[in-house]
Amino acid sequence: MAPLPKSFSVTANGLEAAINDGRAEEVMHKLVAVLEAGTADKAVQRLAAEWIMTVGLKPGDAKALRGGRKASPKEWLEIAQMVAELQDGGETYMNAVLKTAEHFGYGERHVQDCSARWKAAVSKE
């Protein structure tokens, strides 16, 4: 029988099997637990490094990691202005939100958040 690779780990092997089965959330929790406990061997550390490189950071994540302010929603000002313009043109708030969401390709909640952020900024002035 061929010898096992030097970086073989029962923990890492189990985590890789779970990744292949599509149980990503479970793997993330187990991986974090092993790393926090300080019992991660080299194979688990390699797996964690691969995971971080694969998942990467999304815009705004860096601020969250260092405890900074949450990033503004994408295109929030343009979205909020379109909602306001539609309302000024006689549309109800919900119709304006629906039309704006369809125009920009975002969900209703995203459009409502943008509109609320804009209204809060305008009321502070």
Side-chain angles (χ1 to χ4, degrees):
M1 181 188 280
L4 294 173
K6 291 182 180 180
S7 64
F8 179 79
S9 163
V10 174
T11 305
N13 194 29
L15 291 172
E16 287 174 338
I19 290 171
N20 291 335
D21 288 344
R23 299 178 295 174
E25 190 171 330
E26 176 187 338
V27 172
M28 187 180 342
H29 292 299
K30 287 182 179 180
L31 193 56
V32 168
V34 170
L35 291 170
E36 284 180 337
T39 59
D41 53 30
K42 288 182 180 183
V44 173
Q45 291 176 13
R46 177 191 51 78
L47 185 62
E50 288 174 1
W51 184 280
I52 292 168
M53 291 303 295
T54 301
V55 173
L57 289 176
K58 296 180 286 294
D61 285 350
K63 282 187 178 180
L65 285 173
R66 66 176 187 258
R69 213 176 68 227
K70 195 173 145 184
S72 295
K74 287 182 88 179
E75 303 175 277
W76 74 274
L77 184 58
E78 294 88 359
I79 291 170
Q81 287 174 339
M82 183 173 177
V83 171
E85 288 171 5
L86 287 171
Q87 283 184 292
D88 291 344
E91 293 285 341
T92 64
Y93 175 74
M94 278 314 295
N95 284 342
V97 167
L98 291 172
K99 287 182 179 181
T100 305
E102 185 178 321
H103 175 78
F104 282 96
Y106 293 117
E108 292 175 40
R109 186 69 198 140
H110 179 77
V111 174
Q112 292 170 347
D113 288 343
C114 294
S115 182
R117 181 180 291 249
W118 182 73
K119 287 176 183 175
V122 168
S123 68
K124 286 182 182 179
E125 292 178 352

